[in-house]
Coordinates of all heavy atoms in Angstrom, one line a residue:
M1 N 119.2 105.7 -121.9 CA 118.1 105.7 -120.9 C 118.7 105.2 -119.5 O 118.3 105.8 -118.5 CB 117.0 104.7 -121.3 CG 116.1 105.2 -122.4 SD 115.2 106.7 -121.8 CE 113.8 105.9 -121.1
I2 N 119.6 104.2 -119.5 CA 120.2 103.7 -118.2 C 121.1 104.9 -117.6 O 121.0 105.1 -116.4 CB 121.0 102.4 -118.5 CG1 120.0 101.3 -118.9 CG2 121.7 102.0 -117.2 CD1 120.7 100.1 -119.4
R3 N 121.8 105.6 -118.5 CA 122.6 106.6 -118.0 C 121.8 107.7 -117.3 O 122.2 108.2 -116.3 CB 123.4 107.3 -119.2 CG 124.6 106.5 -119.5 CD 125.5 107.3 -120.5 NE 126.6 106.6 -120.9 CZ 127.6 107.1 -121.7 NH1 127.4 108.3 -122.2 NH2 128.6 106.4 -122.0
L4 N 120.6 108.0 -117.9 CA 119.8 109.0 -117.3 C 119.3 108.6 -115.9 O 119.3 109.3 -114.9 CB 118.6 109.3 -118.2 CG 117.6 110.3 -117.7 CD1 118.2 111.7 -117.8 CD2 116.3 110.3 -118.5
A5 N 119.0 107.3 -115.8 CA 118.5 106.7 -114.6 C 119.6 106.8 -113.5 O 119.3 107.2 -112.3 CB 118.1 105.3 -114.7
I6 N 120.8 106.5 -113.9 CA 122.0 106.5 -113.0 C 122.2 108.0 -112.5 O 122.4 108.2 -111.3 CB 123.3 106.0 -113.6 CG1 123.1 104.5 -113.8 CG2 124.4 106.3 -112.8 CD1 124.1 103.9 -114.7
F7 N 122.1 108.9 -113.5 CA 122.3 110.3 -113.2 C 121.3 110.8 -112.1 O 121.6 111.5 -111.2 CB 122.2 111.1 -114.5 CG 122.3 112.6 -114.2 CD1 123.6 113.2 -113.9 CD2 121.2 113.5 -114.3 CE1 123.7 114.6 -113.7 CE2 121.4 114.8 -114.0 CZ 122.6 115.3 -113.7
V8 N 120.0 110.5 -112.4 CA 119.0 110.9 -111.5 C 119.2 110.2 -110.1 O 119.0 110.9 -109.1 CB 117.6 110.4 -112.0 CG1 116.5 110.6 -111.0 CG2 117.3 111.2 -113.3
F9 N 119.6 109.0 -110.1 CA 119.9 108.3 -108.8 C 121.0 109.0 -108.1 O 120.9 109.2 -106.9 CB 120.3 106.8 -109.1 CG 120.7 106.1 -107.9 CD1 119.8 105.7 -107.0 CD2 122.0 105.8 -107.7 CE1 120.1 105.0 -105.8 CE2 122.4 105.1 -106.6 CZ 121.5 104.7 -105.7
L10 N 122.1 109.4 -108.8 CA 123.2 110.1 -108.2 C 122.8 111.4 -107.6 O 123.1 111.8 -106.5 CB 124.3 110.3 -109.1 CG 125.2 109.0 -109.4 CD1 126.2 109.3 -110.5 CD2 125.9 108.6 -108.2
V11 N 121.9 112.1 -108.3 CA 121.4 113.4 -107.9 C 120.6 113.2 -106.5 O 120.8 114.0 -105.6 CB 120.6 114.1 -109.0 CG1 119.8 115.3 -108.4 CG2 121.4 114.5 -110.1
I12 N 119.8 112.2 -106.5 CA 119.0 112.0 -105.3 C 119.9 111.6 -104.1 O 119.7 112.2 -103.0 CB 118.0 110.8 -105.6 CG1 116.9 111.3 -106.5 CG2 117.3 110.4 -104.3 CD1 116.0 110.2 -107.1
V13 N 120.9 110.8 -104.4 CA 121.9 110.4 -103.3 C 122.6 111.6 -102.8 O 122.7 111.8 -101.6 CB 122.9 109.3 -103.8 CG1 124.0 109.1 -102.9 CG2 122.1 108.0 -104.1
V14 N 123.1 112.4 -103.7 CA 123.9 113.6 -103.3 C 123.0 114.5 -102.5 O 123.4 115.1 -101.5 CB 124.5 114.3 -104.5 CG1 125.1 115.7 -104.1 CG2 125.6 113.4 -105.1
Y15 N 121.8 114.7 -103.0 CA 120.8 115.6 -102.3 C 120.6 115.1 -100.9 O 120.5 115.9 -100.0 CB 119.5 115.6 -103.2 CG 118.5 116.6 -102.6 CD1 118.6 118.0 -102.8 CD2 117.4 116.1 -101.9 CE1 117.7 118.8 -102.4 CE2 116.5 116.9 -101.4 CZ 116.6 118.3 -101.6 OH 115.6 119.2 -101.1
K16 N 120.4 113.8 -100.8 CA 120.1 113.3 -99.5 C 121.3 113.4 -98.5 O 121.2 113.7 -97.4 CB 119.7 111.8 -99.6 CG 118.2 111.6 -100.1 CD 117.7 110.2 -99.7 CE 116.3 110.1 -100.1 NZ 115.7 108.8 -99.8
L17 N 122.5 113.2 -99.1 CA 123.7 113.3 -98.3 C 123.9 114.7 -97.8 O 124.2 114.9 -96.6 CB 124.9 112.9 -99.1 CG 125.2 111.4 -99.2 CD1 126.3 111.1 -100.2 CD2 125.5 110.7 -97.9
L18 N 123.7 115.7 -98.7 CA 123.8 117.1 -98.3 C 122.8 117.4 -97.3 O 123.1 118.1 -96.3 CB 123.6 117.9 -99.6 CG 124.8 118.0 -100.5 CD1 124.5 118.8 -101.7 CD2 126.0 118.6 -99.8
G19 N 121.6 117.0 -97.5 CA 120.5 117.2 -96.5 C 120.8 116.6 -95.1 O 120.6 117.3 -94.1
G20 N 121.4 115.4 -95.1 CA 121.8 114.8 -93.8 C 122.9 115.6 -93.2 O 122.9 115.7 -92.0
L21 N 123.9 116.1 -94.0 CA 125.0 116.9 -93.4 C 124.4 118.1 -92.7 O 124.8 118.5 -91.6 CB 126.0 117.2 -94.5 CG 127.0 116.1 -94.9 CD1 127.8 116.6 -96.1 CD2 127.9 115.7 -93.8
I22 N 123.6 118.8 -93.5 CA 123.0 120.1 -92.9 C 122.3 119.8 -91.7 O 122.4 120.5 -90.6 CB 122.1 120.7 -94.0 CG1 123.0 121.2 -95.2 CG2 121.4 121.9 -93.4 CD1 122.3 121.5 -96.4
K23 N 121.5 118.7 -91.7 CA 120.7 118.3 -90.5 C 121.6 118.0 -89.4 O 121.4 118.4 -88.2 CB 119.9 117.0 -90.8 CG 118.4 117.3 -90.6 CD 117.7 116.0 -90.8 CE 116.2 116.1 -90.7 NZ 115.5 114.9 -91.0
G24 N 122.8 117.2 -89.6 CA 123.7 116.8 -88.6 C 124.3 118.0 -88.0 O 124.5 118.1 -86.7
V25 N 124.7 119.0 -88.7 CA 125.4 120.2 -88.3 C 124.4 121.0 -87.3 O 124.8 121.4 -86.2 CB 125.9 121.1 -89.4 CG1 126.2 122.5 -88.9 CG2 127.0 120.4 -90.1
S26 N 123.2 121.1 -87.8 CA 122.3 121.9 -87.0 C 121.9 121.2 -85.6 O 121.8 121.9 -84.6 CB 121.0 122.2 -87.8 OG 120.3 121.0 -88.1
V27 N 121.9 119.9 -85.7 CA 121.5 119.2 -84.5 C 122.7 119.2 -83.5 O 122.6 119.5 -82.3 CB 121.2 117.7 -84.9 CG1 121.3 116.8 -83.6 CG2 119.9 117.6 -85.5
S28 N 124.0 119.1 -84.0 CA 125.1 119.1 -83.2 C 125.3 120.5 -82.5 O 125.8 120.6 -81.4 CB 126.4 118.7 -83.9 OG 126.7 119.7 -84.9
N29 N 124.9 121.5 -83.3 CA 125.0 122.9 -82.7 C 124.0 123.0 -81.6 O 124.4 123.7 -80.5 CB 124.7 123.9 -83.8 CG 125.9 124.1 -84.7 OD1 127.0 123.8 -84.4 ND2 125.7 124.8 -85.8
R30 N 122.8 122.5 -81.7 CA 121.9 122.6 -80.6 C 122.3 121.9 -79.4 O 121.9 122.2 -78.3 CB 120.5 122.1 -81.2 CG 119.7 123.1 -81.9 CD 118.4 122.6 -82.4 NE 117.9 123.3 -83.6 CZ 116.9 122.9 -84.3 NH1 116.3 121.7 -84.0 NH2 116.5 123.6 -85.3
Q31 N 123.0 120.8 -79.6 CA 123.4 119.9 -78.4 C 124.5 120.5 -77.7 O 124.9 120.1 -76.6 CB 123.7 118.5 -78.9 CG 122.5 117.7 -79.2 CD 122.8 116.3 -79.8 OE1 124.0 116.1 -80.2 NE2 121.9 115.4 -79.8
E32 N 125.1 121.6 -78.2 CA 126.2 122.2 -77.5 C 125.7 123.1 -76.4 O 125.6 124.3 -76.5 CB 127.0 123.1 -78.5 CG 128.5 122.8 -78.4 CD 129.3 123.5 -79.5 OE1 129.4 123.0 -80.6 OE2 129.8 124.6 -79.2
V33 N 125.4 122.5 -75.3 CA 124.8 123.2 -74.2 C 126.0 123.6 -73.3 O 126.8 122.8 -72.9 CB 123.8 122.3 -73.4 CG1 123.3 123.1 -72.2 CG2 122.7 121.8 -74.3
P34 N 126.1 124.9 -72.9 CA 127.1 125.3 -72.1 C 127.0 124.7 -70.7 O 126.0 124.5 -70.2 CB 126.9 126.9 -72.0 CG 125.5 127.0 -72.4 CD 125.2 125.9 -73.3
A35 N 128.2 124.5 -70.1 CA 128.3 123.9 -68.8 C 127.7 124.8 -67.8 O 128.0 125.9 -67.6 CB 129.8 123.6 -68.4
D36 N 126.7 124.3 -67.1 CA 125.9 125.1 -66.2 C 126.1 124.6 -64.8 O 126.3 123.4 -64.6 CB 124.4 125.0 -66.5 CG 123.6 126.2 -65.9 OD1 123.6 126.2 -64.6 OD2 123.1 127.0 -66.6
K37 N 126.2 125.4 -63.8 CA 126.4 125.1 -62.4 C 125.3 124.2 -61.9 O 125.5 123.3 -61.1 CB 126.6 126.3 -61.5 CG 128.0 126.8 -61.6 CD 128.2 127.9 -60.6 CE 129.6 128.5 -60.7 NZ 129.9 129.6 -59.8
S38 N 124.1 124.4 -62.4 CA 122.9 123.7 -61.9 C 122.9 122.3 -62.4 O 122.4 121.4 -61.8 CB 121.6 124.4 -62.3 OG 121.6 124.4 -63.7
T39 N 123.5 122.0 -63.6 CA 123.5 120.6 -64.1 C 124.8 119.9 -63.7 O 124.9 118.7 -63.9 CB 123.5 120.6 -65.6 OG1 124.5 121.5 -66.1 CG2 122.1 121.2 -66.2
A40 N 125.8 120.6 -63.1 CA 127.0 120.0 -62.7 C 126.8 119.1 -61.6 O 127.6 118.1 -61.5 CB 128.0 121.1 -62.3
E41 N 125.8 119.2 -60.8 CA 125.6 118.3 -59.7 C 124.8 117.1 -60.0 O 124.7 116.2 -59.3 CB 124.8 119.1 -58.6 CG 125.7 120.1 -57.9 CD 124.9 121.0 -56.9 OE1 123.9 120.4 -56.4 OE2 125.2 122.1 -56.7
L42 N 124.3 117.1 -61.3 CA 123.6 115.9 -61.7 C 124.5 114.7 -62.0 O 125.6 114.9 -62.5 CB 122.8 116.2 -63.0 CG 121.5 117.2 -62.9 CD1 121.0 117.5 -64.2 CD2 120.5 116.6 -62.0
V43 N 124.0 113.5 -61.6 CA 124.7 112.3 -61.9 C 123.9 111.5 -62.9 O 122.6 111.6 -62.8 CB 125.1 111.5 -60.7 CG1 126.1 112.3 -59.9 CG2 123.8 111.3 -59.9
Q44 N 124.5 110.6 -63.6 CA 123.8 109.8 -64.5 C 123.5 108.4 -63.9 O 124.4 107.7 -63.4 CB 124.4 109.6 -65.9 CG 123.6 109.0 -67.0 CD 124.2 109.0 -68.3 OE1 125.4 109.1 -68.4 NE2 123.5 108.9 -69.4
D45 N 122.2 108.0 -64.1 CA 121.9 106.6 -63.7 C 122.5 105.7 -64.7 O 122.2 105.7 -65.9 CB 120.3 106.6 -63.7 CG 119.8 105.2 -63.3 OD1 120.5 104.2 -63.6 OD2 118.6 105.2 -62.9
P46 N 123.4 104.8 -64.3 CA 124.1 103.9 -65.2 C 123.2 102.8 -65.8 O 123.5 102.2 -66.8 CB 125.2 103.3 -64.4 CG 124.7 103.4 -63.0 CD 123.9 104.6 -62.9
Q47 N 122.0 102.7 -65.2 CA 121.1 101.6 -65.7 C 120.2 102.1 -66.8 O 120.1 101.5 -67.9 CB 120.3 101.1 -64.5 CG 119.3 100.0 -64.8 CD 120.0 98.8 -65.3 OE1 121.2 98.5 -65.0 NE2 119.4 98.0 -66.2
C48 N 119.5 103.3 -66.6 CA 118.6 103.8 -67.6 C 119.0 105.0 -68.3 O 118.5 105.5 -69.2 CB 117.2 104.0 -66.9 SG 117.1 105.4 -65.8
G49 N 120.1 105.7 -67.8 CA 120.7 106.8 -68.4 C 120.1 108.1 -68.0 O 120.4 109.1 -68.6
A50 N 119.2 108.1 -67.1 CA 118.5 109.3 -66.6 C 119.5 110.1 -65.8 O 120.3 109.6 -65.1 CB 117.3 109.0 -65.9
Y51 N 119.3 111.5 -65.8 CA 120.1 112.3 -65.0 C 119.3 112.7 -63.7 O 118.2 113.1 -63.8 CB 120.6 113.6 -65.7 CG 121.7 113.3 -66.8 CD1 121.4 113.0 -68.1 CD2 123.0 113.3 -66.3 CE1 122.4 112.7 -69.0 CE2 124.0 113.1 -67.2 CZ 123.7 112.7 -68.5 OH 124.7 112.5 -69.4
I52 N 119.9 112.5 -62.6 CA 119.2 112.8 -61.3 C 120.2 113.5 -60.4 O 121.4 113.5 -60.6 CB 118.8 111.4 -60.7 CG1 119.9 110.4 -60.7 CG2 117.6 110.9 -61.4 CD1 120.0 109.6 -59.5
L53 N 119.6 114.1 -59.4 CA 120.4 114.7 -58.3 C 120.7 113.6 -57.3 O 119.8 112.8 -56.9 CB 119.6 115.8 -57.6 CG 119.4 117.1 -58.4 CD1 118.2 117.9 -57.7 CD2 120.6 117.9 -58.5
P54 N 122.0 113.5 -56.9 CA 122.4 112.4 -56.0 C 121.5 112.3 -54.8 O 121.2 111.2 -54.2 CB 123.8 112.8 -55.6 CG 124.3 113.6 -56.8 CD 123.1 114.4 -57.3
A55 N 121.0 113.4 -54.3 CA 120.2 113.5 -53.1 C 118.9 112.8 -53.3 O 118.2 112.3 -52.4 CB 120.1 114.9 -52.6
Q56 N 118.4 112.9 -54.5 CA 117.1 112.4 -54.8 C 117.1 110.9 -55.2 O 116.1 110.2 -55.2 CB 116.4 113.2 -55.9 CG 116.1 114.6 -55.5 CD 115.5 115.4 -56.7 OE1 115.7 115.0 -57.8 NE2 114.9 116.5 -56.4
G57 N 118.3 110.4 -55.6 CA 118.4 109.1 -56.2 C 118.7 108.1 -55.1 O 118.7 108.3 -53.9
V58 N 118.8 106.8 -55.6 CA 119.2 105.7 -54.7 C 120.7 105.4 -54.9 O 121.1 105.3 -56.0 CB 118.3 104.5 -55.1 CG1 118.7 103.3 -54.2 CG2 116.9 104.8 -55.1
E59 N 121.4 105.3 -53.8 CA 122.8 105.1 -53.9 C 123.2 103.6 -53.7 O 122.6 102.9 -52.9 CB 123.5 106.0 -52.8 CG 125.0 106.2 -52.9 CD 125.5 107.0 -51.8 OE1 125.3 108.3 -51.9 OE2 126.2 106.5 -51.0
A60 N 124.2 103.2 -54.4 CA 124.8 101.9 -54.2 C 126.3 101.9 -54.4 O 126.8 102.6 -55.3 CB 124.1 100.9 -55.3
R61 N 126.9 101.2 -53.6 CA 128.4 101.1 -53.6 C 128.8 99.7 -54.1 O 128.4 98.7 -53.6 CB 129.0 101.3 -52.3 CG 128.9 102.8 -51.9 CD 130.0 103.2 -50.9 NE 129.9 104.6 -50.5 CZ 129.1 105.1 -49.5 NH1 128.4 104.2 -48.8 NH2 129.0 106.3 -49.2
V62 N 129.5 99.7 -55.3 CA 129.9 98.5 -55.9 C 131.5 98.6 -56.1 O 131.9 99.4 -56.9 CB 129.2 98.2 -57.2 CG1 129.6 96.9 -57.8 CG2 127.7 98.2 -57.0
A63 N 132.2 97.6 -55.6 CA 133.6 97.5 -55.7 C 134.3 98.9 -55.6 O 135.1 99.2 -56.4 CB 133.9 96.9 -57.2
G64 N 133.9 99.6 -54.6 CA 134.6 100.8 -54.3 C 134.1 102.1 -55.0 O 134.5 103.2 -54.8
N65 N 133.1 101.8 -56.0 CA 132.5 102.9 -56.8 C 131.1 103.2 -56.2 O 130.4 102.2 -55.9 CB 132.4 102.5 -58.3 CG 133.9 102.4 -58.9 OD1 134.7 103.2 -58.7 ND2 134.0 101.3 -59.7
T66 N 130.8 104.5 -56.2 CA 129.5 104.8 -55.8 C 128.6 105.1 -57.1 O 129.0 105.9 -57.9 CB 129.5 106.0 -54.9 OG1 130.4 105.7 -53.8 CG2 128.1 106.3 -54.3
Y67 N 127.5 104.6 -57.1 CA 126.5 104.7 -58.3 C 125.3 105.3 -57.7 O 124.8 105.0 -56.6 CB 126.2 103.4 -59.0 CG 127.4 102.8 -59.6 CD1 128.1 101.8 -58.9 CD2 127.9 103.1 -60.8 CE1 129.3 101.2 -59.4 CE2 129.0 102.5 -61.4 CZ 129.7 101.6 -60.6 OH 130.8 101.0 -61.2
H68 N 124.6 106.2 -58.6 CA 123.3 106.7 -58.2 C 122.3 106.4 -59.2 O 122.5 106.4 -60.4 CB 123.5 108.3 -58.1 CG 124.4 108.7 -57.1 ND1 124.0 108.9 -55.7 CD2 125.7 109.1 -57.1 CE1 125.0 109.4 -55.0 NE2 126.1 109.4 -55.8
F69 N 121.2 105.9 -58.7 CA 120.1 105.4 -59.6 C 118.8 106.2 -59.3 O 118.6 106.8 -58.2 CB 119.8 103.9 -59.3 CG 121.0 103.1 -59.5 CD1 121.9 102.8 -58.4 CD2 121.3 102.6 -60.7 CE1 123.0 102.1 -58.5 CE2 122.5 101.8 -60.9 CZ 123.3 101.5 -59.8
C70 N 118.0 106.3 -60.4 CA 116.7 107.1 -60.2 C 115.7 106.3 -59.3 O 114.8 107.0 -58.8 CB 116.1 107.4 -61.6 SG 115.5 105.9 -62.5
S71 N 115.9 105.1 -59.3 CA 114.9 104.3 -58.5 C 115.5 103.0 -58.0 O 116.6 102.6 -58.5 CB 113.7 104.0 -59.4 OG 114.1 103.1 -60.4
E72 N 114.8 102.4 -57.0 CA 115.3 101.2 -56.4 C 115.3 100.1 -57.5 O 116.2 99.2 -57.5 CB 114.4 100.7 -55.3 CG 114.9 99.7 -54.3 CD 116.0 100.4 -53.4 OE1 115.7 101.4 -52.9 OE2 117.0 99.7 -53.2
T73 N 114.4 100.1 -58.5 CA 114.3 99.2 -59.6 C 115.6 99.2 -60.4 O 116.1 98.1 -60.7 CB 113.1 99.5 -60.5 OG1 111.9 99.6 -59.6 CG2 112.8 98.3 -61.4
C74 N 116.0 100.4 -60.8 CA 117.2 100.5 -61.6 C 118.4 100.0 -60.8 O 119.3 99.3 -61.4 CB 117.5 102.0 -61.9 SG 116.5 102.5 -63.3
K75 N 118.5 100.3 -59.5 CA 119.6 99.8 -58.7 C 119.7 98.3 -58.7 O 120.7 97.7 -58.9 CB 119.4 100.3 -57.3 CG 120.5 99.9 -56.3 CD 120.2 100.3 -54.9 CE 120.8 99.5 -53.9 NZ 120.4 99.9 -52.5
E76 N 118.5 97.7 -58.5 CA 118.4 96.2 -58.4 C 118.8 95.6 -59.8 O 119.5 94.6 -59.8 CB 117.0 95.8 -58.0 CG 116.9 95.9 -56.4 CD 115.4 95.7 -56.0 OE1 114.6 95.2 -56.8 OE2 115.1 96.2 -54.9
Q77 N 118.3 96.2 -60.8 CA 118.6 95.6 -62.1 C 120.1 95.7 -62.4 O 120.8 94.8 -62.9 CB 117.9 96.5 -63.2 CG 116.4 96.0 -63.4 CD 115.7 96.8 -64.4 OE1 116.2 97.7 -65.0 NE2 114.4 96.4 -64.6
F78 N 120.7 96.9 -62.1 CA 122.1 97.1 -62.3 C 123.0 96.1 -61.5 O 123.9 95.5 -62.0 CB 122.5 98.6 -61.9 CG 123.9 98.9 -62.1 CD1 124.4 99.2 -63.3 CD2 124.8 98.9 -61.0 CE1 125.7 99.6 -63.5 CE2 126.1 99.1 -61.2 CZ 126.6 99.5 -62.4
L79 N 122.6 95.9 -60.2 CA 123.4 95.0 -59.4 C 123.2 93.6 -59.9 O 124.2 92.8 -59.9 CB 122.9 95.1 -57.9 CG 123.2 96.4 -57.2 CD1 122.6 96.5 -55.9 CD2 124.7 96.7 -57.2
Q80 N 122.0 93.3 -60.3 CA 121.7 91.9 -60.8 C 122.6 91.6 -62.1 O 123.2 90.6 -62.2 CB 120.3 91.8 -61.1 CG 119.9 90.3 -61.1 CD 118.3 90.1 -61.2 OE1 117.6 91.1 -61.2 NE2 117.9 88.9 -61.2
E81 N 122.5 92.6 -63.0 CA 123.2 92.4 -64.3 C 124.8 92.3 -64.0 O 125.5 91.6 -64.7 CB 123.0 93.6 -65.2 CG 121.6 93.5 -65.9 CD 121.3 94.6 -66.8 OE1 122.2 95.3 -67.2 OE2 120.1 94.9 -67.1
R82 N 125.2 93.1 -63.0 CA 126.6 93.1 -62.7 C 127.0 91.8 -62.1 O 128.1 91.3 -62.4 CB 126.9 94.2 -61.7 CG 128.0 95.1 -62.1 CD 128.4 96.1 -61.0 NE 129.8 96.1 -60.8 CZ 130.6 96.9 -61.5 NH1 130.2 97.6 -62.5 NH2 131.9 96.8 -61.3
S83 N 126.2 91.3 -61.2 CA 126.6 90.0 -60.5 C 126.6 88.8 -61.6 O 127.3 87.9 -61.4 CB 125.6 89.7 -59.4 OG 124.3 89.5 -59.9
D84 N 125.8 89.0 -62.6 CA 125.8 87.9 -63.6 C 127.1 87.8 -64.4 O 127.5 86.8 -64.9 CB 124.7 88.2 -64.7 CG 123.3 88.0 -64.1 OD1 123.2 87.3 -63.0 OD2 122.3 88.4 -64.6
H85 N 127.8 89.0 -64.5 CA 129.1 89.0 -65.2 C 130.2 88.6 -64.3 O 131.3 88.4 -64.9 CB 129.3 90.4 -65.9 CG 128.2 90.7 -66.9 ND1 128.1 90.0 -68.0 CD2 127.2 91.6 -66.9 CE1 127.1 90.5 -68.8 NE2 126.6 91.5 -68.1
V86 N 130.0 88.7 -63.1 CA 131.1 88.4 -62.2 C 131.3 86.9 -62.0 O 130.3 86.1 -61.9 CB 130.9 89.0 -60.8 CG1 132.0 88.6 -59.8 CG2 130.9 90.6 -60.9
D87 N 132.5 86.4 -62.1 CA 132.8 85.0 -62.0 C 132.6 84.5 -60.6 O 133.0 85.1 -59.6 CB 134.2 84.6 -62.4 CG 134.4 85.0 -63.8 OD1 133.4 84.8 -64.6 OD2 135.5 85.4 -64.2
Ligands
ZN101 ZN1 116.9 104.6 -63.7

């Protein structure tokens, strides 16, 4: 009886693993978006992760690097968090 339970358990585990693999493959295929010229100009907001056009965002220069934020709030949060880590 215990062997049967283990066998059933293994079947379920294998089934779930296979299902996860198939799901992962299909998801990764969908995320393979070809490089587009229209998205090449987008920059990522380092604070919230949103992609924005540099012209539409808020710009900040920190230690020689230029960052673009979707909003003034993100910029302020980023600068604040950064200054907390600086000695
Ligand atoms: Zn943002």
Side-chain angles (χ1 to χ4, degrees):
M1 283 299 274
I2 294 169
R3 276 191 184 181
L4 182 70
I6 291 169
F7 177 74
V8 170
F9 175 73
L10 282 174
V11 167
I12 292 167
V13 166
V14 169
Y15 183 79
K16 284 199 172 183
L17 281 174
L18 285 174
L21 282 175
I22 292 162
K23 238 185 183 180
V25 167
S26 62
V27 165
S28 66
N29 280 344
R30 274 181 203 169
Q31 285 178 339
E32 230 176 277
V33 179
D36 199 295
K37 277 184 182 175
S38 62
T39 57
E41 289 173 30
L42 289 173
V43 291
Q44 190 172 23
D45 180 334
Q47 183 61 30
C48 70
Y51 285 92
I52 45 141
L53 287 166
Q56 293 176 340
V58 181
E59 196 179 287
R61 287 205 181 88
V62 182
N65 295 315
T66 305
Y67 299 94
H68 295 276
F69 303 91
C70 69
S71 66
E72 199 76 42
T73 311
C74 279
K75 176 187 159 186
E76 279 168 20
Q77 280 179 357
F78 181 80
L79 292 176
Q80 200 171 359
E81 281 177 23
R82 229 186 134 83
S83 64
D84 288 346
H85 295 295
V86 173
D87 295 326

